[in-house]
Amino acid sequence: MSLTRRNFLGVAVAAPVAATVVPLNAAFAAKPLTIGFSQVGAESEWRTANTASIKDAAKKAGINLKFADAQQRQENQVKAIRSFIAQRVDVIAFSPVVESGWDTVLREAKRANIPVILTDRGVKVSDESLYVTFLGSDFVEEGRRAARWLVEHAKKNPNRAYNIVELQGTVGSAPAIDRKAGFAEVMKLEPRLKIIRSQTGDFTRAKGKEVMEAFLKSEGKNITVLYAHNDDMAIGAIQAIEEAGFKPGKDILVVSIDGVRGAFEAMLQGKLNVTVECNPLLGPQLMEAAKAVKAGKPVPKRIVVQEGVFPAEVAAKEFPNRKY
Ligand code: AHR
């Protein structure tokens, strides 16, 4: 008995039944996994490293990556996710610009039977089964670590004032919400730590500089600490501090988060006091998780990335080891 099928060139051929089963299965097995990935944007040095890690890991793993840059806009991410659903990708992964407003589109992905992996940032949804796993940092802990460094600094400097200006990340984003909360929790341990101004700098250097200029204009030398939710805003703000005639790292302590190359350079110049690491190199873990999900293997609901804290004193020793 035989039946007709198409070979890889699309030509109709006759083949015995037993022989058709094996090559067709083999053809399916050889089909590369397709991941649709919606990235936040290109707002920071961290994000550039994160994008490079994801693209590079997909290439190494032989995964077909459909990459969409949302330019920091949730509506662009929703469009990208809908387009991935229409294209019937195997797995959808995304780093959500903001925490809320995902229920509808994630329900559409679930109805289409396409698993979703959250990368870097989490979401607030009514039904946790709308995503399979969340791979990323513990942002609350990062905020706590930043505050802990200041609490320790205050213990060693009993006569210093700690009037903090805070540069928040993108409004409504998980890292901005969590880093603020973690910092606020630990700063209570030292009553001299006071937040005198707090505003978003949208995770960019340009906005960090602009908002710091405004803080300096209204508060002047009353400011003794800058807490920035990422290194890029801190680097922009350092420029504003210098232009206003103050010494960053001395007159104004600078504490930030990410641990990117630019922050290490600023520490080596004595302009930044400490950076709390947030590891952007999530590509290899994301590809592993996607393969496991597609193969029907169990994956943990939460995969937390291990990270450290780098004060300026260790910057010279650590700098050559930095990968981003
Ligand atoms: O979500 C991670 C944060 O987003 C990084 O701290 C920041 O630099 C980026 O823009």
Side-chain angles (χ1 to χ4, degrees), residues 15 124 135 176 193-194 227:
K124 286 248 176 315
L135 157 70
L193 264 57
K194 291 184 192 93
Y227 167 44

Side-chain angles (χ1 to χ4, degrees), residues 43-44 46-47 120-121 139 175 179 203 229-230 258 278:
E43 74 283 5
S44 61
W46 188 100
R47 190 64 56 197
D120 158 39
R121 298 182 180 180
F139 296 136
R179 287 171 185 169
F203 282 130
H229 287 193
N230 82 343
D258 274 356
C278 177

